[in-house]
Amino acid sequence: MASAVQYPDTFALEAAAAAVSTVVRSLAAPRHCFIGGYAVSLLGGTRSTHLTGKDVDVLVAADPSDIRLALIKADPKFSLTPANKLVYAAESYTGQDGPPVIIELLRGGLNQQLKLPDANSVVTLDIATEIALKQKISIPIVHPSVLVLTKIKRWMFIAESTRPASKSKANHDLTDIRVILRWLAERKIRIDFTAYPEQPKDRFLPGLRMLYARDTEAQGLLDVTMEEEDLASVKV
């Protein structure tokens, strides 16, 4: 019988993120911010670790290969797996060794294949996690007004998939999208297409139309987090 997949707990993910942030801040290109499920988890309160995930995604402002080497040199808890994955050996909340946290270093910008937000210019939000506060730093994440677009970008391409793995990712992305939209709605903040110049607005509208038509909760949240003109094009 196969054993259940083990995931790092939230404490381990926070420790890994704080370690990354501490080292990157000391480099020549210190701009960085977290993206993906870990970033969303910092907005949504309590979330089970299987939804948060087992990795930490970081947008960096320099060559990821150089950042990787700097992390390994600066902190012995960073290492490479046989598959050449960067990992961080963080203890769990109980102080016991748990599964390593995978660190994904990503480069955004117009000239990059994935067209992710550029760490040099994207608007960020500083989050004060418990571990970060002890180290007198904060954890920068892509601002939720842009972060939601990065989630919609992936969700729209896998939402109709019948493959189990893709269906699972789509469900997790939808959960994340709801979390971000709630955060924006509570603060009366709108989705900001202009803050994501690497992708044209038209690229997101099909996904937003699909989301509006399919999900009742998201529909109500989009009503209060989109500009009227943009919302009108989504309701079509």
Side-chain angles (χ1 to χ4, degrees):
M1 181 176 176
S3 59
V5 177
Q6 285 190 310
Y7 290 90
D9 62 17
T10 303
F11 185 85
L13 294 172
E14 289 189 2
V20 169
S21 195
T22 297
V23 175
V24 175
R25 287 169 191 270
S26 69
L27 303 179
R31 284 275 297 180
H32 67 288
C33 51
F34 294 84
I35 194 171
Y38 173 68
V40 177
S41 75
L42 298 181
L43 302 173
T46 55
R47 300 174 73 229
S48 58
T49 52
H50 80 278
L51 288 181
T52 304
K54 59 183 178 179
D55 60 358
V56 169
D57 299 323
V58 197
L59 292 176
V60 293
D63 188 329
S65 297
D66 293 338
I67 303 291
R68 172 187 288 202
L69 290 174
L71 290 169
I72 293 171
K73 183 178 179 180
D75 189 335
K77 288 189 175 183
F78 289 105
S79 64
L80 295 178
T81 69
N84 207 34
K85 287 278 189 181
L86 179 67
V87 294
Y88 182 79
E91 294 180 347
S92 67
Y93 182 76
T94 60
Q96 299 177 338
D97 291 337
V101 179
I102 298 171
I103 310 297
E104 295 283 358
L105 301 173
L106 304 166
R107 189 80 183 268
L110 280 169
N111 297 325
Q112 302 298 316
Q113 183 178 0
L114 295 177
K115 299 291 190 296
L116 292 169
D118 190 335
N120 283 302
S121 55
V122 70
V123 180
T124 60
L125 175 71
D126 287 337
I127 304 290
T129 66
E130 182 178 351
I131 294 176
L133 280 174
K134 288 179 181 179
Q135 299 180 17
K136 298 182 179 179
I137 62 171
S138 58
I139 300 298
I141 68 170
V142 173
H143 195 278
S145 60
V146 178
L147 184 62
V148 68
L149 295 174
T150 68
K151 280 291 178 179
I152 289 170
K153 176 185 169 187
R154 186 174 81 162
W155 174 83
M156 64 187 284
F157 289 112
I158 59 176
E160 297 182 325
S161 175
T162 58
R163 296 178 59 229
S166 294
K167 288 174 68 175
S168 178
K169 288 179 181 179
N171 288 335
H172 290 173
D173 282 345
L174 181 57
T175 297
D176 285 345
I177 290 167
R178 290 174 183 149
V179 168
I180 303 170
L181 289 175
R182 286 188 213 113
W183 190 95
L184 293 172
E186 288 168 3
R187 291 158 181 80
K188 296 180 172 56
I189 298 174
R190 302 292 178 93
I191 296 172
D192 191 352
F193 296 98
T194 63
Y196 194 170
E198 293 80 8
Q199 296 277 2
K201 183 196 297 186
D202 290 347
R203 190 70 57 84
F204 301 107
L205 294 180
L208 286 162
R209 291 190 192 103
M210 188 188 305
L211 181 65
Y212 195 88
R214 288 186 174 198
D215 192 79
T216 303
E217 180 181 359
Q219 182 180 116
L221 292 168
L222 289 172
D223 282 337
V224 296
T225 56
M226 295 188 71
E227 299 291 348
E228 288 186 14
E229 180 180 349
D230 296 328
L231 184 61
S233 65
V234 166
K235 286 182 174 181
V236 173

